[in-house]
Amino acid sequence: QVQLVESGGGQVQAGGSLRLTCAASGRTFFSTFAMAWFRQAPGKEREFVSVVFWNGGTVHYTDSVKGRFTVSRDNAKNMVFLQMNSLKPEDTAVYYCAADSRIYLSDYVSLNEYKYWGQGTQVTVSS
């Protein structure tokens, strides 16, 4: 079993920055896992934000965060990070960390591809 715990959320003004952290624990070969970030705004469905595959060299972002968000991972520490810059009010949401043991996911934007989920961390951006 794998446990994921997110941290780093908070409230910032538009244009500000936050860094989210997802810490993984349990019996896992974390370094092989696909790790992703999703978010869910009030009244909306959970949506894909970013994914980083096993060696950190392959990453993808949803269009709305490209150039502002950066995903990375530290396999030695079993952690994944999401650096969020130039935050906008529309980035307000609960951010979730997700993981799957497969090295690569062809449909990485789909919630159904991920077996493990964290509890989420709230990000609020005020205008």
Side-chain angles (χ1 to χ4, degrees):
Q1 189 68 16
V2 175
Q3 294 80 42
L4 303 175
V5 178
E6 303 96 334
S7 61
Q11 183 168 359
V12 295
Q13 290 189 330
S17 298
L18 284 173
R19 188 192 195 207
L20 305 184
T21 298
C22 173
S25 61
R27 300 182 65 181
T28 174
F29 295 100
F30 176 82
S31 61
T32 66
F33 276 43
M35 302 295 299
W37 290 94
F38 286 75
R39 66 186 180 186
Q40 188 166 17
K44 295 187 176 181
E45 295 186 348
R46 195 171 299 187
E47 64 173 2
F48 168 80
V49 175
S50 181
V51 64
V52 54
F53 292 106
W54 66 282
N55 64 352
T58 302
V59 299
H60 299 284
Y61 301 93
T62 191
D63 286 346
S64 63
V65 308
K66 286 180 180 177
R68 301 188 298 121
F69 290 12
T70 303
V71 64
S72 60
R73 64 191 295 163
D74 185 337
N75 288 339
K77 296 182 178 180
N78 287 3
M79 288 183 172
V80 176
F81 310 99
L82 186 67
Q83 178 66 44
M84 305 186 295
N85 299 327
S86 302
L87 282 161
K88 304 175 181 180
E90 50 264 43
D91 295 317
T92 295
V94 177
Y95 283 70
Y96 296 90
C97 178
D100 193 85
S101 59
R102 290 170 288 173
I103 290 178
Y104 185 76
L105 308 175
S106 58
D107 191 12
Y108 52 81
V109 302
S110 171
L111 282 72
N112 296 329
E113 290 289 286
Y114 299 90
K115 183 175 182 179
Y116 305 104
W117 290 84
Q119 83 290 348
T121 185
Q122 176 70 47
V123 171
T124 303
V125 185
S126 57
S127 57

